Amino acid sequence: QQIANKKTPASLYQTCAFLAAHNMVQISDLIPHLHPNLSTIIDCNKTLAKHVATRLKNLGAISLNSTKDATDSATLEHQSPSTSMDITKNQRLGLINALLSFGAFPLAFNMILQLRKSGIDAIFLLPSIGTNICQMLHATIEPIYRSTTNPPRHLSMVHNAPPPMTNTLSKRRKNSTKPGDAIRDKMSLLPIESVLLPIHEIDSFVEVVYEPLKLLGAGFTIGKDPVLYCKLCRLFRCFLKRKIDAGNTVDQVVTGKTLNIIESFLVPSVSMFHSNPAICSELWNCLELFPYTIRYKLYDAWRGASLERKAVSKQALSGDGYSVVDDKPFSRVETEINTGLSCRYVLRRLSKDTIKDMGKRLAKAAHNNPIVVFSSVLSQIESYDNLVGLMVDTFKFVTNLALDVLGYCILTSLGGGKVGDRGRSKLKSDGVNAAQWLSSLEQFTGAFWKKFPDVDIRGVLSFLLRRLQEGHTLELGVLRTLLTTAGGLDVVEGGTGGLSVIQLEGRAGSQLLKRETSSFGVVGECTMCNDTRRLKVFANIAAVLSCERAKQDRVIAKLKAILVASPDRTL
């Protein structure tokens, strides 16, 4: 039993971990003698969670009582977050950390799960536990990563190649150790059943890394190891490609553990890498294999129930702790708040003269939290339609992942998705005309897909067709804008019923012929786009319409089969 004010030496933790890994000491026999007891750790976890939640709730908030606010902020910053105990003297966490440093993951996994059942997040209390999990993952995936991503040696050999460099820098790189080398040497000292075995086959990749990634989560620990994240993204892409090339559909591959890892770890972890477009590209290489239905479900999970300060757990603010599974991690909430502050700072200074500089800053803020940035952008566009052209020009600096997320944000703003704002009225007070926010969103949708036709539009089109099937026609303005602005079509106001044959044929010609044949020489301006962009937009629209027609054909075929089987039956 440890004395309360005495620190346990690291050698004792390592000795216990080594003996437990060789099954000479049982962890269950050690736990009753570890200091402090479980109730004290629970109180410490609640205290620390309340401190962090209060700090995040006040982050970026503006108070009119500046003197009192400054005093409270200074007190909150200097207040000790763990008043009940010292984390470094927690023997349970120290033993878990020692087990992971040896690579004895099964034993550490059971101890962490026992703490989670009591509402304790071991990585939140002791971040070095997450660091050791990352090092263990490096050692585990290194064989399969080296064999999967590196080309064979005979393919990389070049004739008449210059001799290798022999300077000091090349020697230093040659002698430098890779991540996971230290823990790999320790793992060789333990029995096979006590360690996480290295992966040599891509088919077993998900099964091996599922439990470590489940514990690691999309927290601040992975944000300190971008190399590991890039390796995991590349291996996931290889795994998905292997399954798809074997004849499996995407829906059959992205299920169970694979979907759970991508949804809870791979996608939300991007928020932890500040302004790193390379990380976004690595993730997009995986997500581009999925249809829009799966991608938008992943974005829904990434967004969560709310964003920024609204995502702070009320349970943590009240001092009752927080749920590791249900609540958004504090580190992700903090990145969302900082991204939101940066985004609003840029939007207040965005103008025609500062479009280049501020556009780059806005894209930089959107790299790790595109949902936060684009939610603020769309909110501004719904109020001020003169920002449409400026905003579309700024998106040329963002990544492919951010553009796809923007398509999802447009869909949710229109009222689709799980978090769509369906409570807003889409009509003005007169009950006839479309609301201002819907008109501005229609204008932005057409301008966006005109400039970026490669972005998947099928999600928005499917939503519009579904609303039309339900009898709602207010969203047809979005489809009209897509056809006129992005597709380059010229729409005649009031239909073609009032046009003569000469006028109708004249509208198929140039602008001069339209003016000569149309009534009074007045012809609406149509901004034409090139044929390539127009064909891309039309191809997406035709694909969605054909799918809907196929669904209708199947329904009609079923009804005919019922009528043939029961001629006397009425439908």
Side-chain angles (χ1 to χ4, degrees):
Q1 185 79 12
Q2 181 193 22
I3 302 176
N5 56 358
K6 186 178 180 181
K7 190 175 180 179
T8 305
S11 58
L12 182 58
Y13 288 132
Q14 295 176 358
T15 302
C16 292
F18 189 80
L19 294 176
H22 284 82
N23 204 20
M24 296 181 181
V25 175
Q26 299 296 325
I27 297 293
S28 57
D29 297 335
L30 289 175
I31 288 180
H33 304 284
L34 298 180
H35 178 83
N37 54 24
L38 189 61
S39 60
T40 306
I41 302 177
I42 294 175
D43 294 338
C44 174
N45 185 76
K46 291 181 179 180
T47 303
L48 184 59
K50 183 179 180 180
H51 171 81
V52 176
T54 305
R55 180 178 64 84
L56 294 179
K57 199 68 176 178
N58 297 328
L59 186 62
I62 300 176
S63 176
L64 298 178
N65 191 357
S66 58
T67 305
K68 182 179 182 299
D69 183 64
T71 305
D72 294 343
S73 300
T75 305
L76 187 64
E77 289 294 333
H78 295 288
Q79 184 181 3
S80 176
S82 53
T83 56
S84 57
M85 59 169 288
D86 187 1
I87 299 297
T88 60
K89 297 178 182 180
N90 191 319
Q91 292 184 339
R92 291 192 186 221
L93 301 181
L95 182 56
I96 293 174
N97 200 24
L99 288 170
L100 291 173
S101 65
F102 276 100
F105 177 75
L107 296 175
F109 178 73
N110 293 330
M111 293 187 67
I112 295 176
L113 284 186
Q114 291 178 1
L115 292 177
R116 286 200 171 185
K117 291 179 180 178
S118 302
I120 302 172
D121 187 2
I123 300 178
F124 174 64
L125 294 177
L126 190 62
S128 59
I129 294 177
T131 304
N132 283 329
I133 294 178
C134 292
Q135 294 298 317
M136 184 187 61
L137 284 172
H138 273 293
T140 303
I141 67 176
E142 182 62 26
I144 186 61
Y145 180 77
R146 187 170 58 248
S147 62
T148 303
T149 58
N150 289 353
R153 185 176 180 182
H154 70 277
L155 295 179
S156 60
M157 295 177 64
V158 181
H159 295 288
N160 301 325
M165 294 185 300
T166 57
N167 54 17
T168 307
L169 181 59
S170 63
K171 291 181 180 180
R172 188 180 303 172
R173 289 178 178 175
K174 185 177 180 180
N175 297 329
S176 61
T177 59
K178 297 180 179 180
D181 286 346
I183 197 171
R184 189 182 299 109
D185 297 337
K186 294 181 180 180
M187 290 171 64
S188 62
L189 303 175
L190 302 183
I192 296 178
E193 61 273 7
S194 299
V195 297
L196 202 64
L197 295 179
I199 306 173
H200 295 279
E201 296 292 336
I202 192 65
D203 294 334
S204 60
F205 168 69
V206 173
E207 292 292 335
V208 176
V209 302
Y210 174 72
E211 291 181 347
L213 294 182
K214 182 180 178 181
L215 289 184
L216 190 61
F220 60 91
T221 307
I222 189 62
K224 298 180 180 179
D225 200 343
V227 176
L228 176 62
Y229 184 81
C230 289
K231 288 182 178 180
L232 292 172
C233 287
R234 293 172 185 176
L235 289 175
F236 262 103
R237 178 177 173 82
C238 293
F239 173 80
L240 295 171
K241 290 285 289 183
R242 178 73 62 86
K243 295 293 185 180
I244 294 174
D245 293 342
N248 299 315
T249 62
V250 178
D251 294 332
Q252 293 174 346
V253 175
V254 188
T255 55
K257 294 182 178 180
T258 305
L259 179 61
N260 195 352
I261 292 177
I262 297 175
E263 184 180 50
S264 62
F265 174 79
L266 212 60
V267 173
S269 293
V270 178
S271 301
M272 305 313 301
F273 300 97
H274 178 65
S275 301
N276 195 336
I279 294 292
C280 300
S281 299
E282 294 291 345
L283 177 62
W284 177 245
N285 290 336
C286 293
L287 297 184
E288 66 179 355
L289 302 175
F290 304 153
Y292 77 92
T293 53
I294 296 179
R295 294 200 310 270
Y296 286 6
K297 288 179 182 178
L298 296 175
Y299 299 154
D300 263 328
W302 186 8
R303 185 188 189 278
S306 53
L307 295 172
E308 300 187 56
R309 283 193 294 268
K310 295 181 180 179
V312 178
S313 173
K314 296 181 180 179
Q315 184 179 357
L317 286 172
S318 61
D320 296 332
Y322 76 104
S323 175
V324 183
V325 179
D326 299 331
D327 295 336
K328 189 178 292 187
F330 291 129
S331 53
R332 279 179 53 196
V333 176
E334 185 172 3
T335 61
E336 289 180 358
I337 295 174
N338 293 329
T339 301
L341 293 174
S342 301
C343 174
R344 287 185 285 272
Y345 175 85
V346 173
L347 291 178
R348 286 194 295 267
R349 289 157 179 81
L350 186 65
S351 64
K352 189 175 181 180
D353 298 330
T354 62
I355 182 65
K356 188 173 182 180
D357 296 335
M358 291 300 166
K360 291 180 179 179
R361 295 185 64 174
L362 186 66
K364 186 177 180 181
H367 286 330
N368 60 332
N369 281 304
I371 297 179
V372 176
V373 173
F374 295 142
S375 297
S376 300
V377 168
L378 292 177
S379 178
Q380 291 288 324
I381 289 175
E382 290 172 358
S383 302
Y384 310 101
D385 56 356
N386 57 346
L387 292 175
V388 171
L390 293 176
M391 291 301 179
V392 173
D393 290 337
T394 61
F395 296 150
K396 61 184 177 182
F397 302 109
V398 302
T399 61
N400 292 330
L401 174 64
L403 290 176
D404 192 63
V405 172
L406 179 54
Y408 157 79
C409 292
I410 292 175
L411 176 61
T412 56
S413 297
L414 289 172
K418 295 181 180 179
V419 294
D421 191 358
R422 302 177 182 178
R424 294 189 295 179
S425 176
K426 296 183 179 180
L427 287 175
K428 290 183 178 179
S429 57
D430 56 8
V432 178
N433 299 314
Q436 173 63 33
W437 69 268
L438 184 58
S439 301
S440 302
L441 205 57
E442 292 173 3
Q443 184 181 354
F444 172 77
T445 303
F448 171 71
W449 262 286
K450 177 187 175 183
K451 191 172 184 64
F452 304 99
D454 293 328
V455 179
D456 198 346
I457 197 177
R458 290 173 294 178
V460 174
L461 293 177
S462 299
F463 169 73
L464 296 177
L465 291 177
R466 191 190 67 195
R467 292 284 294 174
L468 184 59
Q469 290 175 355
E470 294 174 354
H472 304 283
T473 58
L474 289 175
E475 292 83 1
L476 284 180
V478 180
L479 183 59
R480 174 194 175 95
T481 308
L482 288 173
L483 291 174
T484 55
T485 305
L489 293 181
D490 191 5
V491 179
V492 179
E493 296 292 340
T496 59
L499 296 179
S500 64
V501 177
I502 297 177
Q503 291 174 333
L504 188 60
E505 292 177 351
R507 296 191 68 85
S510 63
Q511 292 291 332
L512 179 60
L513 185 59
K514 292 178 183 179
R515 291 189 179 95
E516 291 179 351
T517 57
S518 299
S519 300
F520 307 108
V522 178
V523 178
E525 294 184 359
C526 177
T527 306
M528 302 296 291
C529 59
N530 58 47
D531 293 338
T532 304
R533 295 185 175 183
R534 185 190 302 181
L535 288 175
K536 288 180 180 178
V537 175
F538 287 163
N540 289 325
I541 295 176
V544 176
L545 291 176
S546 62
C547 292
E548 295 297 329
R549 180 59 184 271
K551 293 179 182 178
Q552 293 177 2
D553 292 342
R554 285 196 296 267
V555 173
I556 293 174
K558 290 180 180 180
L559 293 176
K560 289 181 178 180
I562 294 174
L563 291 175
V564 171
S566 304
D568 299 333
R569 184 174 180 179
T570 58
L571 297 178

